[in-house]
Amino acid sequence: QVQLVESGGGLVQPGGSLRLSCAASGSIFSINAMGWYRQAPGKQRELVAAITSSSSTNYADSVKGRFTISRDNAKNTVYLQMNSLKPDDTAVYYCNAAVVVGTYGRYEYYYWGQGTQVTVSS
């Protein structure tokens, strides 16, 4: 089994910054990709940013130029640096990982973290 543990959420003023972290642990053969999603009250969960094992990245249009996703493959950890935060960024942020599990690397599954609250307010 694989667990994703998120940290770094909290309350920040508009224009401020936060850095989210997500560490994967468990029976991991490799991690093909990791990403961040968010869900605000009354809205669908949406992709914020994703990164592959080769560090290719993809961002939602709403966060381009403000957020940066990165990963430390040795630590099985993904980060989301969030700058110039806006009230519309307020949401629960979820880490996601496409993980190849087991000793022989036969199976790939998607795993989700428990979510971390980000609130942008004055």
Side-chain angles (χ1 to χ4, degrees), residues 83-99:
N83 298 326
S84 301
L85 283 161
K86 305 174 181 179
D88 285 349
D89 295 319
T90 296
V92 178
Y93 284 70
Y94 296 92
C95 179
N96 175 261
V99 182

Side-chain angles (χ1 to χ4, degrees), residues 15-98:
S17 298
L18 286 173
R19 191 178 81 152
L20 306 183
S21 299
C22 173
S25 62
S27 184
I28 299 171
F29 183 85
S30 64
I31 300 178
N32 292 331
M34 302 185 79
W36 290 94
Y37 292 72
R38 67 186 181 188
Q39 187 167 22
K43 296 184 178 180
Q44 299 283 1
R45 187 173 299 186
E46 64 175 346
L47 174 68
V48 178
I51 187 167
T52 69
S53 59
S54 61
S55 296
S56 177
T57 59
N58 188 39
Y59 296 93
D61 289 341
S62 60
V63 306
K64 287 181 179 178
R66 299 189 297 121
F67 292 8
T68 302
I69 190 170
S70 61
R71 65 188 292 174
D72 185 335
N73 291 334
K75 297 180 179 180
N76 290 328
T77 299
V78 63
Y79 306 94
L80 185 67
Q81 179 66 47
M82 304 186 293
N83 298 326
S84 301
L85 283 161
K86 305 174 181 179
D88 285 349
D89 295 319
T90 296
V92 178
Y93 284 70
Y94 296 92
C95 179
N96 175 261

